[in-house]
Amino acid sequence: MLFTGTHIHKLDRKGRVSVPKRFRAALDNEEFAGIYLYQSHKESALEGCSHSHMERIAASLDELDMFSDEADDLADTILGSSHMLPYDGEGRIILPAELIEFARIEDQVAFVGRGRTFRLWNPDIFKPLQEASRTRTLNRGATLKLKPMSELPKGARPGTSDEEDAS
Amino acid sequence: MLFTGTHIHKLDRKGRVSVPKRFRAALDNEEFAGIYLYQSHKESALEGCSHSHMERIAASLDELDMFSDEADDLADTILGSSHMLPYDGEGRIILPAELIEFARIEDQVAFVGRGRTFRLWNPDIFKPLQEASRTRTLNRGATLKLKPMSELPKGARPGTSDEEDAS
DNA sequence: TGGGAAATGATGGGGGTCAATGGGATTTGA
DNA sequence: TCAAATCCCATTGACCCCCATCATTTCCCA
């Protein structure tokens, strides 16, 4: 249920790319067999998430005032620009030309896990950024304060399950 | 059950336009095979929704003071000016001339998903506005506070279903 | 522990199917 | 009787299903 690691796959000349097995596994028993992608606000990258995560975004937008400018902007930016991409029989998606262009992707795609979501990059662009990010983190001596186990959602702890049948 | 993405379709010279397959799918098992459209009160666009969402709007209006000016105005703008548009055999609707004129639509129509609802635009008008939205979102450093999974409607979470038989 | 066999995931490509579109024919309603 | 709406069918091109091949990992047993 977590997206982790960096996986580099090939974009074939039909515009298809395999979604890493690990990511698909994190997404099974979703009602929609596929992923959502939209343009990142900050980076030359694509944001990826599951159907249920997208439902979560929509539900959270409902909470904002229906007519607020902020809700409008977020709806246009995220919901309006997202692409719902189903798998083919082999677990691939078709990357829309618009997104390929935006992320300046050429013949390879890097799937980078970010926990509940993930990003897609041109590997040549991502690599130097990752290095820089690592350096900053080290220099800062960053420490991440971990939540106590007991506050984690059920299913994220050993010995529990959030499935009816986790076979 | 969620409207996402931007889909640009052609308006033919009979005034017909195909409703995107994905939107029709989000609307099946509605009792009315078609969509509702009404003029947006903020934008040069048309607001679109399902029959059941229209019911929800009507119910919300009931909550307001029946004789308040606000209820009057909303009833006039939304319910009074809404058009109930059935599909033809191919999943198209006929865009009423009044709405075409209001949204300044020419030969193309952009269907833009907004979660529970969607909007129809002249693509040439929408595109720059969406860019502006993206820029504002970025500058605002907008972070959307996500609702916890547990508060989502049933069927929006993996491992649950809102169907009698989800086969 | 090394080698080989088997399983699984990634990649390439052909062809059928279906959504989007265009237009003619028939019906309906003013 | 005419105009507009609905039904019906034809066309086309993108997408999806299917299969074949290749690469990698896993497994098994000597």
Side-chain angles (χ1 to χ4, degrees):
Chain A
M1 271 301 173
L2 279 186
F3 301 109
T4 58
T6 295
H7 312 262
I8 295 179
H9 284 173
K10 233 185 137 188
L11 184 70
D12 70 21
R13 54 176 161 153
K14 284 169 125 179
R16 297 176 301 188
V17 63
S18 292
V19 175
K21 182 66 201 332
R22 292 271 164 75
F23 283 23
R24 271 181 286 158
L27 285 169
D28 63 11
N29 68 29
E30 287 274 334
E31 63 174 291
F32 165 63
I35 64 175
Y36 285 79
L37 291 179
Y38 57 93
Q39 302 171 5
S40 167
H41 303 157
K42 309 188 156 186
E43 317 277 2
S44 176
L46 306 173
E47 301 281 343
C49 69
S50 67
H51 179 78
S52 56
H53 194 266
M54 195 56 86
E55 288 270 5
R56 236 177 120 187
I57 291 175
S60 305
L61 278 175
D62 271 352
E63 298 264 299
L64 294 177
D65 182 350
M66 194 177 180
F67 302 119
S68 82
D69 293 336
E70 190 177 355
D72 265 1
D73 285 349
L74 280 169
D76 284 342
T77 311
I78 298 181
L79 294 175
S81 76
S82 70
H83 293 250
M84 184 183 187
L85 305 172
Y87 302 139
D88 68 11
E90 280 70 42
R92 292 172 290 198
I93 55 165
I94 296 180
L95 261 195
E98 181 194 356
L99 297 184
I100 292 176
E101 191 180 347
F102 176 83
R104 289 181 284 153
I105 285 169
E106 282 148 23
D107 61 339
Q108 287 195 320
V109 183
F111 288 75
V112 182
R114 293 176 63 81
R116 311 287 173 206
T117 63
F118 55 91
R119 282 188 181 157
L120 268 56
W121 290 87
N122 175 335
D124 299 334
I125 298 176
F126 175 65
K127 215 170 199 172
L129 289 179
Q130 187 181 36
E131 292 301 327
S133 164
R134 177 189 305 281
T135 308
R136 277 198 306 275
T137 304
L138 289 178
N139 289 343
R140 194 184 287 135
T143 57
L144 177 63
K145 185 167 177 191
L146 292 176
K147 288 184 82 163
M149 260 326 195
S150 55
E151 289 178 21
L152 288 187
K154 197 160 178 288
R157 300 197 302 274
T160 66
S161 170
D162 58 349
E163 308 290 322
E164 294 74 36
D165 177 8
S167 62
Chain B
M1 271 301 172
L2 206 55
F3 300 108
T4 60
T6 295
H7 312 262
I8 295 178
H9 284 173
K10 255 189 111 176
L11 184 69
D12 69 22
R13 52 177 162 153
K14 285 169 132 178
R16 298 175 300 188
V17 63
S18 292
V19 176
K21 180 69 201 324
R22 292 264 160 76
F23 283 23
R24 289 198 313 257
L27 284 169
D28 63 11
N29 66 30
E30 286 274 335
E31 58 177 293
F32 165 62
I35 64 174
Y36 284 80
L37 291 179
Y38 57 93
Q39 302 172 3
S40 166
H41 62 272
K42 295 181 70 168
E43 318 274 4
S44 175
L46 307 172
E47 300 282 344
C49 69
S50 66
H51 179 77
S52 54
H53 193 267
M54 193 56 86
E55 294 265 10
R56 201 176 142 198
I57 290 176
S60 305
L61 280 176
D62 281 348
E63 305 254 309
L64 292 177
D65 181 350
M66 201 174 194
F67 302 112
S68 76
D69 291 340
E70 190 181 0
D72 262 5
D73 290 347
L74 279 173
D76 283 343
T77 19
I78 298 181
L79 298 178
S81 77
S82 75
H83 293 250
M84 185 180 181
L85 305 171
Y87 303 139
D88 69 9
E90 279 71 41
R92 293 173 287 200
I93 55 166
I94 295 181
L95 262 194
E98 180 194 357
L99 297 184
I100 292 176
E101 191 180 346
F102 176 82
R104 288 181 283 153
I105 285 169
E106 282 149 23
D107 61 339
Q108 287 194 320
V109 184
F111 288 75
V112 182
R114 295 175 65 79
R116 314 289 168 211
T117 64
F118 55 92
R119 281 185 182 159
L120 267 56
W121 289 87
N122 175 335
D124 299 333
I125 298 176
F126 176 66
K127 214 170 201 171
L129 290 179
Q130 189 183 35
E131 286 305 320
S133 270
R134 177 181 303 285
T135 307
R136 278 197 301 273
T137 301
L138 174 58
N139 290 340
R140 193 184 284 137
T143 54
L144 180 63
K145 189 167 176 190
L146 291 177
K147 291 184 76 165
M149 265 322 199
S150 54
E151 289 177 22
L152 288 188
K154 197 158 180 290
R157 300 197 303 273
T160 68
S161 171
D162 58 351
E163 308 287 326
E164 294 72 40
D165 177 7
S167 64

